[in-house]
Amino acid sequence: MYIHKYQEKELHKEQKLKILFIFPLTFMILGILFSYFDGETNLTLSSGLKNILISPSILITDFLSVGGIGPTFVNVALISFYNLYLLKKYKLRINGLILAAFMTVMGFSFFGKNIFNIIPIYMGGYLYSYHKKIDFKDIIVSIMFATALAPVISEISFSNMLPSKIAILLGIGVGIFIGFIITPLASHMVKFYDGYNIYNLGFTAGILGTILTSALKSLDIKIESVNILYLENNLFLILTLVAMFIYLICIGISVNKNTLNEYKHIFNYSGRVVTDYTFLMGYGVTFFNMGLMGLLSLSFVLLIGGVVNGPVIAGIFTVVGFSAFGKHIKNCLPVVLGVIVTALFLGRDISSTGVIITVLFSTTLAPIAGVYGYKIGFIAGILHFLLATNVGIIHGGVNLYNNGFAGGLVAGFLLPILDAFVKRR
């Protein structure tokens, strides 16, 4: 395939890190300021963070509701700073997959992930790299995505199923175990859907989450489903997101003055893994695509009357992140339309959080539309809605990337049929 290489400003690794650093810095400052000007005291900020840290955090536990906007912003900042520290320490190249991982984890820090329940998974990853005698930097991305199973740690630690100290130690131990085995699992799972499900770790986490949930049920430990949501739109929160996406667009244009003219060439790529736009299109077009997809996703939520809450923000930031690694308007739209039409046909409220996040996360199947065309992409969207709204019961809500799990099942089911009867574009 022809690789587009355009004249753009060279970005050194430190500059790329600084571009990303703006996000957690903004969330930290605004989180503290919002708590102060909203009349919250330091105690309230602290108690909000405590509520976030000790919540079981399985699907769906919205930290905006559990802890408040200020504490949630601080939680997002802490996790993002930690990931940036690792990227800097291990001198990783900031490519499309790194951008996808960083943005996805940042988004899920609004619901499901906190600084307590992700650390054991990183510890397990480090032990795996030590055991296999490989550099930890080679698996950091896998471990970042593996935090999809962070709720398992919180559920075991804080659900009163065991005495407190024993429960926390067991939760940490299970987290280390997850981090230790997730990398080899993920490398094999991708063969099931041949790169047509962008959220590879979502499928892997779904399989592992199902096994862990089944083990807990066998021990008469039941995982109770929850549905804690932030139920009203907050202008401050929305404007913060708008500013961040405009920031990405401006960065893209400043890096490559010809971004607006070159952007159309991104549609030439199907998005099938691996499609790294930082390599294929350059950082200017990549950042522009990320910002544009963020604005479009946010606009969609607001236009249909949805609420911008924790799960929705996670969905938006995941779209933004993977807009550096496979997604663009052309290959996402058919899948999204398939989900929306199916939801309407079945009489579902498309402004509900459940339908909105299914729409946003369904773009994991964008490569199917990119390779087989918009009709097959539309069908993939239909199947995705049917699966994503029902498979959560299998893993008990401990896998935050439920749609990645569903997307893997859809792709694995469709691909043999498509290869037999449909010609690839």
Side-chain angles (χ1 to χ4, degrees):
M1 181 180 289
Y2 175 71
I3 297 174
H4 301 281
K5 290 186 178 179
Y6 306 115
Q7 294 297 319
E8 66 176 16
K9 209 182 287 183
E10 184 179 355
L11 289 175
H12 299 294
K13 189 178 297 182
E14 292 297 324
Q15 292 174 302
K16 297 167 193 171
L17 286 172
K18 286 178 181 177
I19 290 171
L20 297 182
F21 182 79
I22 292 296
F23 288 91
L25 179 63
T26 300
F27 279 125
M28 180 62 79
I29 293 172
L30 292 182
I32 295 171
L33 289 178
F34 184 85
S35 299
Y36 178 78
F37 287 109
D38 196 45
E40 296 180 10
T41 64
N42 289 332
L43 179 62
T44 304
L45 181 60
S46 300
S47 62
L49 278 171
K50 181 182 178 182
N51 290 340
I52 289 171
L53 291 174
I54 66 174
S55 66
S57 74
I58 62 172
L59 290 175
I60 297 176
T61 305
D62 188 343
F63 291 158
L64 292 172
S65 178
V66 170
I69 293 178
T72 300
F73 275 19
V74 172
N75 180 63
V76 173
L78 290 173
I79 291 177
S80 301
F81 279 137
Y82 178 69
N83 283 322
L84 282 178
Y85 163 75
L86 292 178
L87 297 182
K88 182 177 175 63
K89 175 181 172 61
Y90 290 99
K91 301 178 181 178
L92 272 77
R93 177 182 180 271
I94 309 301
N95 56 24
L97 187 57
I98 292 288
L99 291 173
F102 177 78
M103 290 290 176
T104 299
V105 175
M106 184 167 68
F108 276 91
S109 302
F110 281 88
F111 95 113
K113 299 181 183 182
N114 58 57
I115 203 66
F116 166 75
N117 63 19
I118 69 167
I119 296 299
I121 296 176
Y122 284 88
M123 291 168 62
Y126 183 81
L127 289 176
Y128 172 78
S129 68
Y130 179 80
H131 173 71
K132 298 296 291 184
K133 295 180 173 57
I134 59 176
D135 287 335
F136 183 49
K137 70 176 184 179
D138 294 336
I139 65 167
I140 283 179
V141 175
S142 293
I143 300 304
M144 288 172 70
F145 282 123
T147 53
L149 288 169
V152 175
I153 299 159
S154 293
E155 177 69 19
I156 294 173
S157 299
F158 303 117
S159 292
N160 299 317
M161 59 179 69
L162 293 167
S164 179
K165 291 182 179 179
I166 296 175
I168 292 174
L169 288 174
L170 179 61
I172 292 172
V174 170
I176 293 172
F177 171 73
I178 290 170
F180 191 80
I181 68 170
I182 198 73
T183 298
L185 277 176
S187 65
H188 283 79
M189 294 292 178
V190 72
K191 300 172 185 176
F192 179 67
Y193 40 80
D194 198 22
Y196 286 89
N197 173 37
I198 297 181
Y199 306 157
N200 177 35
L201 259 295
F203 181 74
T204 307
I207 297 294
L208 183 53
T210 300
I211 293 171
L212 292 172
T213 300
S214 299
L216 290 174
K217 286 182 179 179
S218 298
L219 297 172
D220 291 327
I221 299 174
K222 293 183 178 180
I223 298 178
E224 301 292 339
S225 60
V226 298
N227 191 37
I228 303 171
L229 287 172
Y230 192 71
L231 298 175
E232 58 184 32
N233 277 318
N234 182 283
L235 184 60
F236 171 80
L237 184 58
I238 293 170
L239 291 178
T240 299
L241 297 179
V242 170
M244 288 181 168
F245 301 145
I246 292 175
Y247 163 72
L248 284 171
I249 289 174
C250 292
I251 289 292
I253 294 174
S254 68
V255 171
N256 182 352
K257 301 296 183 184
N258 206 31
T259 289
L260 295 177
N261 292 325
E262 307 294 1
Y263 179 68
K264 61 181 179 291
H265 295 293
I266 204 171
F267 301 139
N268 294 333
Y269 297 99
S270 68
R272 183 183 173 193
V273 177
V274 176
T275 304
D276 186 342
Y277 292 140
T278 65
F279 174 68
L280 298 170
M281 299 294 302
Y283 287 90
V285 173
T286 299
F287 283 126
F288 180 86
N289 189 48
M290 292 170 68
L292 179 62
M293 292 293 282
L295 288 179
L296 289 174
S297 299
L298 180 60
S299 299
F300 162 73
V301 175
L302 296 176
L303 284 172
I304 64 171
V307 176
V308 181
N309 51 31
V312 168
I313 294 172
I316 292 173
F317 270 114
T318 301
V319 171
V320 170
F322 279 92
S323 294
F325 197 72
K327 295 183 183 182
H328 51 66
I329 301 167
K330 187 177 178 182
N331 63 7
C332 288
L333 189 58
V335 182
V336 164
L337 289 176
V339 173
I340 293 173
V341 169
T342 306
L344 290 172
F345 178 78
L346 295 175
R348 305 293 176 84
D349 178 9
I350 63 169
S351 66
S352 67
T353 295
V355 173
I356 288 173
I357 60 176
T358 304
V359 170
L360 294 171
F361 287 120
S362 70
T363 52
T364 184
L365 293 172
I368 291 181
V371 173
Y372 291 99
Y374 67 91
K375 292 180 182 178
I376 301 300
F378 185 86
I379 293 171
I382 294 173
L383 292 174
H384 184 83
F385 181 84
L386 298 177
L387 277 171
T389 52
N390 289 288
V391 297
I393 192 172
I394 299 175
H395 53 73
V398 300
N399 172 29
L400 293 173
Y401 304 163
N402 180 60
N403 282 267
F405 183 38
L409 294 173
V410 171
F413 168 75
L414 274 180
L415 285 176
I417 300 172
L418 294 175
D419 284 341
F421 300 106
V422 180
K423 185 178 180 180
R424 298 187 186 192
R425 292 175 59 188

